[in-house]
Amino acid sequence: MIILDTWQYFMHRYMHHNKFLYKHIHSQHHRLIVPYAYGALYNHPVEGLILDTVGGALSFLISGMSPRTSIFFFSFATIKTVDDHCGLWLPGNLFHMVFKNNTAYHDIHHQLHGTKYNFSQPFFVMWDRILGTYMPYSLEKREDGGFEARPTKEYKDD
């Protein structure tokens, strides 16, 4: 998990900061201002190759996991990524209880003021915290039901 998170954080952040890569590659994924489950892997093929295929291969090779373990690990990572993009904060969701990198955390990243924050994916938020790209948020109950992820006040003006 740490190997995959490290690769994805730095490559994802780089795709945001490199104007060419963002414009021609990563912006395709960010057309989803409001993420949805099927959009989790909606990206340019080059992005899929760099972030997912290379990141997965490095995770597999460096960790020394067996092929059987890798089937479970990458299936879990894919399900987690789909959940992060689903846009739903459901009571009792184990992903939300175990991981700080969750649906609300990733919703903030997809909001227009959040594209320079919350690069971490798919499991932990450690790199965002260490490198100052963590945007705290609150979950606010909506009048018509459900919750809305909003950045805390100190980041709204950035």
Side-chain angles (χ1 to χ4, degrees), residues 20 35 41 43 48 69 109 119 125 127 129 135 155 157:
F20 178 84
L41 299 172
N43 56 21
T69 301
H109 174 73
F119 298 111
V125 299
W127 289 116
R129 288 199 181 269
M135 180 182 279
Y155 283 89
D157 296 326

Side-chain angles (χ1 to χ4, degrees), residues 60-83:
F60 176 76
L61 295 170
I62 293 170
S63 70
M65 68 177 92
S66 70
R68 180 174 292 158
T69 301
S70 73
I71 291 168
F72 289 106
F73 175 71
F74 294 118
S75 295
F76 176 73
T78 300
I79 292 166
K80 171 81 171 62
T81 300
V82 168
D83 182 71

